[in-house]
Amino acid sequence: TKPPSCLKRQIEIRLNVYDLIEANKFGAGVGIGAFHSGCEIDGAEYSFGLNDYHPPRTGVWRTRPRSAPGFSYRTTLEMGTISISMDEVESVLDQMRGDWMGNEYDIVNRNCNHFTDALCQKLCDRRIPRWINRLARWGASLTNVFGRPDMLGPQTWTPDMVKAQEPHDAVTAELSEDRNELSEAEEMIVAEVVGGMSELLTSGVRSIPIFARMVEAMCWSFSAAEFTTFLSTHHFESYTLDAENYSQLCFLANTAIETHAAAGDHSSLRKLLNVAVRLHKLGDDDKPQMMIAALKKHTFWHDSGLWSGIFYEGFTEMVLRSQLENPGDHIDEIRQYSFAELTTITHSMSALGLGSPEVARFLYTMRGDNLLDQEQYNMLTTLAQRSAGDQGGFGSAAGLGWSPMEAGLTSPRSSPTEAGLRSPRSSPKYTQSAINAMIATLLAHKQPDSLQDLRHWLTGCADISTVRSIVRQLTRTLEGCQQHHLEPGSYYILSAMLTRCLTTCGTLRDHHTARAMMYVSLILHGPTKDARLMSQELSSGSPQRSRSNSTSGTSPVGALGEDSGDHITAMSRTTCQHGVWCSIGYWISVVIHHCNAVYGDENEQEENFIILNKVVQLMFTFEVSKDLIAEVIREVLERLDWDPDYRPMCEHLLDSVQTL
């Protein structure tokens, strides 16, 4: 009988976040990323810190949850629930104990938050929120903000070792962080988005394929960010939109906002919310219907960590732009900046339908961080009450008839569903016959009858049961087909639907369905002609040339006409932009799925090595970075038992990838 530690069970992974007490002594509670974190697993909390033992020892240490010595507990974030045995957990921790030595601790490059981020990625394939480790990302720039960076890390990190930067440079670096120069293909997508937005805000988008392309682009971080930047910098002659333009913009914004939330892009979330409180259409009673009200169905709005990230984006930008030498010496100014940003956030939270007790919980946390005085706090809670239309009073425990217990502050964490980790927003569900008809329409080179029908189809792709039915039907229809060629219009629409489905699978970590979509996107082929040019040809009445299904590997470029400029490519070349392919957990699931199918075979080791090679080829096809590919190979080397003949071959494969 296996011991209990060998048995797999459901284990919740939590991130406990603390304030750095020493930082708050001179930073007056301004936050700006001055946080410690620990990863809670099955009743124990693990973190990483500095030590100076000789010879060096591991810097990984263990404590009771939410009780890390020397820090002030702040909040707990749910990172996910995984099926794993404690033996497997200990194996991961043992490996990290050897990799994270105490003498290698560095506040900028290798701190406690880097450790919990790495541990969460290994266990549940999820990164910690960006705001928790902002201090390390800004690094030297915070010399001008705090004045004493040595208080935040080991004594070896002193002001003399830090090269000061202008505060504005820090903001610029933060806003452009992790944004590599766009490729030519990405630049073309951005150009399509900008062109489509210019059309949308004037006459509205009339072409079904163009709108499908725009929706698809909202599922990719780089183009969703460009969409948000366009809106936030656009000069609107009027914030009142026509009904159809409003509906189109709300649909794009809802898709983009899901992408921002999944990527932890709090800066883009803040920008989009600031636009959404102004743009509106007039209802039948001539009263404005605000765009922000159309964004309130997402469950991630109930995640307090997301609102903390949005707050710190605006608040720290104000502090840095103020060029105060030492914010700790300017507590009144700091609280004014905090009050201004929290006023905007309170309006947004109320407009998104969050109840006044939920807003109060968030404000109570800010009050506890010394970011508000009592009068400011009371004003904000009253504002939240009035905005929500509540009749019962609440406020501080001291005089407004409200207490932390009544607002639910005794609970340190939200449920995974409240945090938006388990269920995407509700969407219309389709019958199987309706899904079959939808797929048959697209595979027969036809389009939906109207933009409204297209939006309805795409909205269904946000429901996981509908997504699974769509993928099952596509898989059955395309069974035995090596390539299926689509007309331009149906190609763009189906590509947008699959991309939208991938977003839903990524939210729920449904690797099985995402894996099926990967193979479908390799079978479906179509022309890469510019969507706008193609739309013009269709509107001019040029006939649509039919494509016959091809079960051979022969490219039908000649059948399309050499003068047309068409280039046939697999749909994977489009869907490869999606962030789901950057998940280590996804690619590990692909390897394990196929290896389980050959478990116990006579040539199991050989089959496993062939599978690993094929998966590496797939990763290159989906334009995965070589660093991520190398990490997947290392993980497979650790997880599978390789005999002496095949382990060197796997290591050679790893070396080959790294030297590319």
Side-chain angles (χ1 to χ4, degrees):
T1 303
K2 291 184 177 180
S5 62
C6 293
L7 299 177
K8 290 196 176 201
R9 54 192 175 91
Q10 297 295 111
I11 295 180
E12 293 182 350
I13 308 299
R14 303 185 179 104
L15 186 75
N16 296 325
V17 184
Y18 302 78
D19 288 307
L20 295 179
I21 296 175
E22 289 298 322
N24 289 341
K25 284 183 179 178
F26 64 85
V30 299
I32 315 186
F35 303 112
H36 166 78
S37 64
C39 189
E40 181 182 340
I41 308 169
D42 198 40
E45 181 177 315
Y46 300 88
S47 193
F48 171 69
L50 172 73
N51 63 50
D52 55 359
Y53 290 113
H54 298 285
R57 297 184 186 177
T58 184
V60 178
W61 50 278
R62 171 177 168 172
T63 186
R64 289 187 298 109
R66 301 179 294 283
S67 304
F71 303 105
S72 175
Y73 171 73
R74 176 187 180 85
T75 188
T76 295
L77 305 177
E78 300 284 351
M79 300 303 293
T81 301
I82 58 175
S83 177
I84 196 171
S85 69
M86 282 309 298
D87 280 355
E88 291 173 310
V89 171
E90 281 300 323
S91 176
V92 171
L93 289 169
D94 284 344
Q95 179 187 352
M96 297 193 72
R97 288 186 183 103
D99 294 339
W100 294 76
M101 305 303 291
N103 64 334
E104 296 175 354
Y105 180 95
D106 181 85
I107 187 65
V108 174
N109 301 309
R110 198 171 177 81
N111 62 33
C112 57
N113 300 319
H114 291 113
F115 169 80
T116 54
D117 185 54
L119 182 54
C120 287
Q121 285 189 75
K122 282 183 175 292
L123 291 176
C124 53
D125 192 33
R126 187 167 180 228
R127 306 202 66 166
I128 68 173
R130 289 160 53 91
W131 59 268
I132 294 175
N133 207 24
R134 181 175 288 109
L135 176 69
R137 296 203 308 275
W138 282 354
S141 304
L142 288 181
T143 303
N144 292 342
V145 178
F146 289 105
R148 298 174 60 191
D150 55 301
M151 294 292 291
L152 301 177
Q155 294 299 318
T156 55
W157 196 58
T158 64
D160 294 335
M161 298 175 62
V162 176
K163 182 179 180 181
Q165 301 177 18
E166 290 297 322
H168 180 74
D169 293 339
V171 177
T172 303
E174 167 70 6
L175 294 177
S176 62
E177 182 187 348
D178 296 332
R179 289 188 58 190
N180 298 323
E181 185 176 350
L182 297 181
S183 66
E184 183 178 350
E186 291 170 340
E187 290 284 5
M188 291 177 62
I189 292 170
V190 168
E192 286 187 37
V193 171
V194 172
M197 285 302 300
S198 299
E199 183 177 336
L200 188 153
L201 294 176
T202 52
S203 60
V205 177
R206 304 302 179 206
S207 166
I208 291 176
I210 287 178
F211 189 75
R213 276 288 277 177
M214 293 181 69
V215 173
E216 183 175 30
M218 294 305 100
C219 297
W220 306 325
S221 295
F222 72 93
S223 45
E226 293 292 341
F227 162 82
T228 299
T229 299
F230 179 95
L231 279 181
S232 63
T233 58
H234 183 73
H235 175 69
F236 289 91
E237 294 183 2
S238 171
Y239 289 113
T240 304
L241 302 176
D242 292 339
E244 179 61 22
N245 300 20
Y246 173 86
S247 297
Q248 292 179 9
L249 187 59
C250 287
F251 197 96
L252 294 174
N254 268 306
T255 307
I257 219 160
E258 289 182 7
T259 302
H260 296 327
D265 187 352
H266 299 118
S267 176
S268 291
L269 284 170
R270 179 173 174 267
K271 290 179 186 177
L272 199 47
L273 288 175
N274 288 342
V275 174
V277 296
R278 300 194 299 272
L279 291 174
H280 60 273
K281 72 172 183 178
L282 296 180
D284 296 335
D285 55 358
D286 287 335
K287 291 184 178 180
Q289 296 182 9
M290 307 308 296
M291 177 177 160
I292 194 169
L295 307 178
K296 65 183 182 181
K297 296 181 180 180
H298 305 285
T299 55
F300 50 68
W301 294 131
H302 300 281
D303 179 7
S304 60
L306 178 138
W307 288 107
S308 294
I310 293 173
F311 166 74
Y312 282 117
E313 285 292 340
F315 172 62
T316 53
E317 183 175 334
M318 289 184 189
V319 173
L320 291 171
R321 290 188 187 280
S322 71
Q323 300 192 22
L324 296 174
E325 287 189 17
N326 236 332
D329 298 332
H330 303 273
I331 184 62
D332 291 337
E333 288 91 333
I334 289 298
R335 284 176 173 167
Q336 284 299 322
Y337 295 143
S338 176
F339 180 71
E341 185 64 22
L342 286 172
T343 299
T344 301
I345 286 180
T346 300
H347 278 296
S348 296
M349 295 177 78
S350 298
L352 287 165
L354 274 67
S356 52
E358 191 167 4
V359 179
R361 286 199 295 270
F362 174 71
L363 294 173
Y364 185 81
T365 302
M366 297 295 106
R367 175 73 182 98
D369 288 345
N370 202 24
L371 288 165
L372 298 168
D373 60 29
Q374 188 63 46
E375 182 181 1
Q376 292 170 329
Y377 171 71
N378 291 345
M379 291 172 65
L380 288 174
T381 52
T382 302
L383 172 64
Q385 176 191 9
R386 290 175 178 172
S387 298
D390 294 336
Q391 298 301 317
F394 69 89
S396 69
L400 294 180
W402 172 86
S403 69
M405 180 71 73
E406 291 169 348
L409 289 174
T410 54
S411 176
R413 59 178 75 93
S414 301
S415 68
T417 301
E418 290 175 333
L421 302 179
R422 295 293 179 86
S423 176
R425 61 188 176 89
S426 59
S427 305
K429 295 184 178 180
Y430 283 82
T431 63
Q432 189 60 51
S433 60
I435 291 172
N436 294 350
M438 183 194 310
I439 298 302
T441 296
L442 292 172
L443 294 183
H445 320 304
K446 298 177 182 178
Q447 299 180 22
D449 294 332
S450 66
L451 275 170
Q452 184 176 1
D453 288 343
L454 173 64
R455 290 199 296 267
H456 192 60
W457 288 8
L458 289 167
T459 302
C461 296
D463 174 72
I464 190 61
S465 61
T466 302
V467 168
R468 289 166 179 163
S469 297
I470 289 173
V471 175
R472 280 197 299 268
Q473 181 60 24
L474 277 170
T475 302
R476 283 196 293 262
T477 304
L478 299 173
E479 187 176 1
C481 183
Q482 294 181 16
Q483 291 186 13
H484 183 97
H485 300 120
L486 298 167
E487 288 287 349
S490 54
Y491 175 84
Y492 284 122
I493 294 167
L494 194 49
S495 179
M497 290 178 64
L498 284 183
T499 302
R500 187 66 188 82
C501 289
L502 280 172
T503 297
T504 303
C505 290
T507 302
L508 298 174
R509 296 179 182 81
D510 185 348
H511 294 156
H512 175 77
T513 306
R515 188 168 60 245
M517 277 190 282
M518 175 179 69
Y519 295 125
V520 166
S521 69
L522 290 167
I523 295 172
L524 295 173
H525 283 62
T528 57
K529 180 189 295 183
D530 176 76
R532 190 169 300 277
L533 175 62
M534 178 271 299
S535 178
Q536 291 171 355
E537 291 180 358
L538 294 178
S539 63
S540 67
S542 58
Q544 295 190 22
R545 294 175 292 273
S546 62
R547 312 279 194 270
S548 60
N549 293 352
S550 170
T551 56
S552 69
T554 305
S555 172
V557 173
L560 296 174
E562 296 180 1
D563 295 335
S564 68
D566 293 349
H567 296 283
I568 299 299
T569 187
M571 194 173 286
S572 58
R573 297 294 294 171
T574 305
T575 58
C576 70
Q577 302 283 354
H578 203 284
V580 73
W581 313 124
C582 296
S583 163
I584 293 177
Y586 168 76
W587 292 107
I588 293 296
S589 76
V590 175
V591 175
I592 298 300
H593 169 77
H594 290 289
C595 288
N596 286 341
V598 299
Y599 179 76
D601 286 3
E602 182 179 352
N603 299 320
E604 178 183 346
Q605 290 279 310
E606 180 182 357
E607 292 293 335
N608 286 348
F609 181 70
I610 292 173
I611 289 168
L612 179 58
N613 271 273
K614 289 182 176 179
V615 171
V616 168
Q617 293 175 28
L618 277 173
M619 295 178 77
F620 278 116
T621 298
F622 283 85
E623 300 183 7
V624 178
S625 70
K626 68 175 185 179
D627 290 339
L628 187 63
I629 296 174
E631 186 64 28
V632 169
I633 296 174
R634 291 191 198 96
E635 194 74 19
V636 172
L637 276 168
E638 291 292 330
R639 291 200 183 193
L640 299 182
D641 292 327
W642 297 94
D643 63 30
D645 292 331
Y646 283 95
R647 176 168 288 276
M649 296 169 66
C650 294
E651 292 171 346
H652 177 70
L653 177 62
L654 174 61
D655 293 338
S656 300
V657 169
Q658 291 176 318
T659 55
L660 285 176

